Amino acid sequence: MKLHFYAMALSFSGLVQLTALGQSGSGGQHIDQAFVQEHAILYPGNLQNLGPYSLGSNEVGNIQILHGNTLLKPATAQFQVWGKLVEDKSYLPIADKNIQAINGYQGELVYLDDEAVFSNAWAGSLFIRHELPTAHILEGGSNFDFLISDGKQIQYLREGLEQAVVLSAPQEILEIEFDPIQEKFWVLSRERLFRFDPLNKELREMLDGKDLRSMSFHAENNELILGTAEGYFTYDALSGKRSDLNSKLPWNEILVVESQDDELWFGTTKGAFVLLPSGEFNYYYLERWIPGEQVYDIAFGENEIYLLTDQGLGTIVREKMTLEEKAAFFDEYTRKNHIRNGFNASLELNEPGKLESGKLDDSDNDGLWTSMYLASQGFRYAVTKSPEAMAQIRQSLLAMERLFTINPVAGFPSRSFERSGYIEQLADPDRWQHAPDPEWDWKATTSSDEAIGHIFVYGVLAEIVEDDWVKSKSIELIDTLMSHILSHDLYLYDYDGKPTQWGKWNPDYVNNFPPEVGDRKLNSSNIIGMLQTAYHFTGKEKYKKKAFELMDEFGYMENLMRPMAVIGQAGEESDSYSQMLSEAWNHSDDEMYFVGYWGLYRYAFNPELKRKYKEAILDHWQAERPEKDALWNIMTAMVQPEKFDLEESIWFLQKHPLDLIHWNVKNSHRKDIELLDQNFRRQSTTQVLPPSETRIARHNANRFTLDSERGGRSAYSPGDIWLLPYWMGRYLGVIE
């Protein structure tokens, strides 16, 4: 799909929570304003012998790459559709030139070959001969004057210069930068920094260094930025004062440095990063952003940053966008790419990164992922009355209903269904079953996370969507599922007449766990919320009676109120099942808790219970705050709108990438993160990295996971990941 934007067409379980979050949190309302949204366009190609004079761009966005002596240009690409590099034959006479360097100058492209500095701009009038036939370093001054080098010598060039100025360099020259403030050239070698003065034609040594790699003159601060093999430092062009080496970077083996306005860009042997005026880094590494690892040159367009790697060109596109526009893009993207039989589905890609090769795949959690997407459309319709949202609500609600009707077990929701003959039952005979309708198969063994998803979304639709069919169908499905659970003694009974592995809320199961095992608290919290939802919409006393029985006689209130600080690993005296379930924090449990909090809090039987539920929810939220997950925060706004980490929620929504393909991601090598010792929570760093730099993850995943090897073979839907927290935030009034 072509990309277009609608504005334009603790101490917790032994782990100390080291976080920069304020203790009070932020609340209130975010007034939606345009922010900079980035995405990448890639042009793969195997490139060799690159350097800081291999890439050039002009003011109208023409890009050229010097590969050997051949000029290449990017072609035929768009968002999520890779392009290619082709020979640039725009100016045929250039094909006969032995071009050895390319650079931008006053908004145009300038070339250096074995005879001259020249350009096709300015009517081709720029043509200055030189005396260094192997020169490959080129930098322009302020008035069509140039300094070039072959690594051993430098030559100053200016039209009409009577005598050639050629000087030998004490060391091999790597790069030249012009200083427009002092009207001088800076010359870099591996261990020295020199300054060349065009007036007296003198090359003067200014600084000793070690393993210097690249430099850029930063006019904003009148200083040089010098990249090394171990980081970078600054050099004041007037005072000669240098800073300490900064090596606390995403990666510190620097190959190229460029400055653009108030930003500093670095190309390294492991991707590129930019230092923003705020002091934060944005890191661009691997195929979500660039086609290769090593970044040799950087150039700038009006709204683009070009990163030249050993495996092709990556273009970082920056466009102004509001969250509303991002939601419009994701809403359309989801409908076009991720709807299977009404379900919110993932794509399995036959070819890495190519959406067109994708197959819509079933999953164990079609009901859960669809419930979260369907809820987002419910919130969207309640806010906007969008006909598109209503159409999708009807489609997905029909899919959710058919999970019940496609199998022969009364009141039992299937995990998924598919047309007969397209799923290999023998590969998974416990799950895939033939439906009574011979055209279809259905997936069994439904779990508790599916069940809580069903009740969550039906409660949302029944409460807030003003449509008679949607309301009545949602209430019918609540009653259908909860009647099954009650009539089967708080179990989900499958086709074989036995409870599924996880569909269990009976006290014999729940209270068998030690107090520190999370399932005891989780299942208690979920079933009380489910029963309250059923009573709220059906008025049937059986649901209310069972809920109070569980709370008063079986300790479910004590279970659900148990502080998160207690949850941890089961002791050695516990059974092996409890120990297995408590090896580490389960982030799927977080998703089940928070999805269940909708019914637990909103449909509380009385104000006193609501007060207690709020206490439990806020206790859980405190444990989750380091993840900066927008869904957890905005769910918390339901119970505490004045304090729920609003800023972190907007950070999540704005920083989330548009590209949801599962590219490989690596961050464990970074030097700008502080690693924590292994812990129960599996929080790897003191600060969570932004979603744009980590793996694509649903809300049931650990956001502190640093590395992921997925190879671009699948793509998640934004329907549950992004649209649910956004549209819930709109409905709750915290995003306006």
Side-chain angles (χ1 to χ4, degrees):
M1 182 178 67
K2 185 176 181 180
L3 180 63
H4 60 95
F5 301 116
Y6 284 74
M8 297 174 272
L10 350 103
S11 174
F12 176 68
S13 298
L15 169 64
V16 176
Q17 293 183 348
L18 299 173
T19 169
L21 296 177
Q23 293 302 306
S24 61
S26 61
Q29 184 184 71
H30 172 77
I31 305 301
D32 197 9
Q33 297 178 342
F35 62 95
V36 175
Q37 176 67 58
E38 296 182 335
H39 68 274
I41 299 177
L42 306 188
Y43 305 86
N46 187 14
L47 304 176
Q48 299 175 355
N49 300 320
L50 301 176
Y53 300 95
S54 299
L55 177 66
S57 65
N58 66 9
E59 61 184 1
V60 297
N62 289 325
I63 306 300
Q64 286 186 326
I65 297 166
L66 182 61
H67 183 227
N69 299 119
T70 302
L71 290 174
L72 306 177
K73 65 179 180 180
T76 63
Q78 57 185 359
F79 176 59
Q80 292 188 323
V81 179
W82 286 14
K84 56 185 177 180
L85 298 175
V86 300
E87 185 174 354
D88 191 339
K89 299 180 180 179
S90 303
Y91 283 83
L92 290 178
I94 292 184
D96 295 328
K97 299 283 188 181
N98 184 26
I99 298 176
Q100 296 167 156
I102 184 173
N103 210 341
Y105 183 72
Q106 295 192 9
E108 302 292 349
L109 291 168
V110 177
Y111 309 96
L112 171 67
D113 71 0
D114 53 356
E115 295 182 346
V117 172
F118 65 96
S119 176
N120 295 313
W122 307 291
S125 60
L126 175 60
F127 188 88
I128 308 174
R129 293 189 178 276
H130 64 77
E131 298 179 6
L132 302 178
T134 60
H136 55 274
I137 298 172
L138 167 67
E139 179 70 5
S142 59
N143 190 27
F144 288 89
D145 55 334
F146 298 88
L147 191 63
I148 67 171
S149 176
D150 60 5
K152 299 178 181 179
Q153 301 175 94
I154 61 171
Q155 182 175 1
Y156 178 67
L157 304 174
R158 191 180 70 236
E159 192 68 49
L161 194 64
E162 295 181 359
Q163 185 175 0
V165 179
V166 179
L167 298 175
S168 295
Q171 293 184 336
E172 181 180 0
I173 293 173
L174 303 176
E175 196 172 345
I176 300 173
E177 275 283 311
F178 181 66
D179 176 348
I181 297 176
Q182 298 185 88
E183 296 280 330
K184 294 177 174 61
F185 291 89
W186 296 94
V187 180
L188 185 71
S189 73
R190 189 70 71 185
E191 297 179 351
R192 298 285 189 276
L193 175 67
F194 305 93
R195 188 177 65 193
F196 176 78
D197 189 339
L199 293 178
N200 58 30
K201 313 301 186 291
E202 178 185 54
L203 184 66
R204 180 183 175 188
E205 181 178 327
M206 304 298 294
L207 175 73
D208 286 336
K210 180 183 179 182
D211 210 357
L212 304 175
R213 299 293 182 86
S214 182
M215 66 176 172
S216 178
F217 183 77
H218 190 208
E220 291 275 325
N221 295 328
N222 193 24
E223 64 185 10
L224 284 164
I225 313 300
L226 292 115
T228 78
E230 297 180 352
Y232 80 92
F233 63 93
T234 62
Y235 176 83
D236 190 291
L238 291 178
S239 69
K241 183 179 180 180
R242 60 169 290 176
S243 70
D244 294 333
L245 184 71
N246 184 355
S247 58
K248 195 174 182 180
L249 310 171
W251 190 242
N252 52 22
E253 189 176 358
I254 295 170
L255 297 177
V256 62
V257 183
E258 291 290 348
S259 61
Q260 174 79 337
D261 299 327
D262 55 359
E263 296 182 347
L264 300 180
W265 283 82
F266 300 84
T268 78
T269 55
K270 290 185 183 293
F273 62 89
V274 57
L275 176 59
L276 301 172
S278 64
E280 298 176 302
F281 293 113
N282 285 350
Y283 187 39
Y284 310 90
Y285 188 39
L286 300 180
E287 291 90 345
R288 183 184 297 164
W289 298 111
I290 54 177
E293 293 197 37
Q294 302 181 48
V295 178
Y296 289 93
D297 204 357
I298 301 172
F300 303 98
E302 183 177 359
N303 296 304
E304 299 85 21
I305 299 92
Y306 306 103
L307 304 173
L308 183 62
T309 80
D310 53 332
Q311 297 298 317
L313 179 70
T315 301
I316 309 299
V317 180
R318 288 175 163 178
E319 300 206 41
K320 288 293 186 68
M321 176 185 281
T322 63
L323 290 176
E324 185 177 33
E325 291 158 1
K326 192 168 183 175
F329 171 75
F330 274 149
D331 276 318
E332 179 183 353
Y333 185 91
T334 301
R335 294 196 307 275
K336 285 187 174 182
N337 294 288
H338 290 284
I339 303 300
R340 182 189 71 87
N341 294 332
F343 293 124
N344 176 42
S346 298
L347 276 172
E348 296 300 318
L349 309 182
N350 291 321
E351 299 180 60
K354 294 187 177 181
L355 293 180
E356 67 273 18
S357 74
K359 174 179 74 73
L360 286 166
D361 204 24
D362 73 274
S363 81
D364 281 356
N365 295 109
D366 276 353
L368 176 60
W369 309 140
T370 304
S371 73
M372 298 175 77
Y373 170 56
L374 180 51
S376 81
Q377 298 307 290
F379 292 123
R380 178 187 175 197
Y381 183 78
V383 171
T384 67
K385 299 299 185 288
S386 162
E388 288 180 354
M390 176 54 70
Q392 191 56 57
I393 288 170
R394 290 176 172 270
Q395 287 289 336
S396 292
L397 187 53
L398 285 171
M400 296 289 283
E401 179 189 30
R402 199 170 186 212
L403 289 172
F404 290 88
T405 61
I406 201 166
N407 71 69
V409 184
F412 182 84
S414 311
R415 285 186 182 271
S416 184
F417 56 78
E418 186 53 276
R419 295 183 185 275
S420 183
Y422 291 90
I423 300 292
E424 180 54 65
Q425 277 87 2
L426 294 178
D428 197 357
D430 292 333
R431 299 194 181 197
W432 281 104
Q433 305 295 317
H434 294 299
D437 182 345
E439 291 293 320
W440 293 90
D441 295 328
W442 64 281
K443 202 171 192 178
T445 72
T446 303
S447 65
S448 54
D449 50 354
E450 292 283 287
I452 191 62
H454 279 270
I455 299 302
F456 161 65
V457 70
Y458 302 147
V460 168
L461 297 179
E463 179 186 354
I464 72 173
V465 175
E466 295 300 327
D467 179 271
D468 290 343
W469 179 82
V470 171
K471 283 182 178 292
S472 62
K473 182 59 63 177
S474 298
I475 295 171
E476 174 191 329
L477 294 176
I478 292 172
D479 197 27
T480 297
L481 176 55
M482 295 309 298
S483 289
H484 173 99
I485 292 173
L486 251 63
S487 64
H488 290 86
D489 203 16
L490 299 180
Y491 291 104
L492 269 182
Y493 266 62
D494 214 334
Y495 68 95
D496 57 2
K498 299 177 182 178
T500 65
Q501 180 178 4
W502 303 108
K504 302 174 181 178
W505 301 272
N506 185 284
D508 290 343
Y509 174 80
V510 172
N511 288 335
N512 187 54
F513 292 115
E516 64 268 24
V517 175
D519 290 60
R520 181 165 177 161
K521 175 181 171 70
L522 171 64
N523 287 30
S524 299
S525 177
N526 275 183
I527 192 62
I528 297 303
M530 293 161 71
L531 290 166
Q532 287 186 158
T533 302
Y535 175 75
H536 180 85
F537 289 105
T538 69
K540 294 183 178 181
E541 285 294 326
K542 64 179 181 179
Y543 299 124
K544 184 176 184 180
K545 179 180 178 181
K546 178 57 68 173
F548 276 105
E549 176 186 323
L550 293 174
M551 288 189 286
D552 295 341
E553 299 180 25
F554 292 97
Y556 276 38
M557 176 56 72
E558 180 184 352
N559 289 344
L560 73 85
M561 291 297 296
R562 185 165 290 113
M564 280 293 172
V566 175
I567 305 302
Q569 293 178 297
E572 295 181 359
E573 71 283 357
S574 302
D575 62 277
S576 59
Y577 191 63
S578 296
Q579 292 181 35
M580 180 273 291
L581 288 177
S582 63
E583 288 177 348
W585 186 256
N586 189 325
H587 294 271
S588 287
D589 288 358
D590 292 328
E591 185 168 60
M592 294 172 65
Y593 276 116
F594 275 93
V595 166
Y597 288 156
W598 184 267
L600 185 70
Y601 182 77
R602 291 180 79 86
Y603 312 133
F605 291 125
N606 56 58
E608 177 59 22
L609 283 175
K610 198 167 192 176
R611 183 192 64 77
K612 291 181 178 179
Y613 298 152
K614 177 178 179 178
E615 180 183 336
I617 293 169
L618 293 180
D619 173 70
H620 190 178
W621 170 67
Q622 286 290 347
E624 295 299 321
R625 292 180 71 190
E627 294 192 17
K628 300 185 182 180
D629 187 297
L631 184 55
W632 308 158
N633 286 328
I634 290 173
M635 279 279 196
T636 303
M638 173 180 64
V639 304
Q640 186 171 263
E642 73 279 6
K643 177 183 172 183
F644 65 94
D645 286 346
L646 173 63
E647 293 178 5
E648 287 75 12
S649 304
I650 301 306
W651 172 88
F652 176 96
L653 294 171
Q654 291 182 346
K655 286 287 190 179
H656 204 284
L658 295 176
D659 186 350
L660 272 70
I661 294 174
H662 286 286
W663 297 114
N664 292 341
V665 170
K666 292 182 180 179
N667 288 289
S668 56
H669 61 279
R670 293 174 61 159
K671 307 299 183 182
D672 63 328
I673 59 177
E674 184 177 347
L675 297 174
L676 296 176
D677 292 335
Q678 187 173 353
N679 53 75
F680 176 74
R681 180 82 186 180
R682 291 184 178 173
Q683 181 174 335
S684 58
T685 57
T686 57
Q687 296 291 318
V688 69
L689 293 171
S692 57
E693 298 172 19
T694 55
R695 62 175 179 165
I696 299 300
R698 287 188 164 111
H699 298 286
N700 66 338
N702 182 3
R703 297 202 170 274
F704 284 92
T705 299
L706 296 175
D707 301 339
S708 177
E709 297 283 345
R710 298 293 294 273
R713 289 287 184 177
S714 61
Y716 275 164
S717 164
D720 52 289
I721 296 173
W722 198 94
L723 291 173
L724 178 55
Y726 171 76
W727 284 114
M728 182 183 287
R730 288 287 303 273
Y731 175 77
L732 294 175
V734 298
I735 302 174
E736 184 60 58

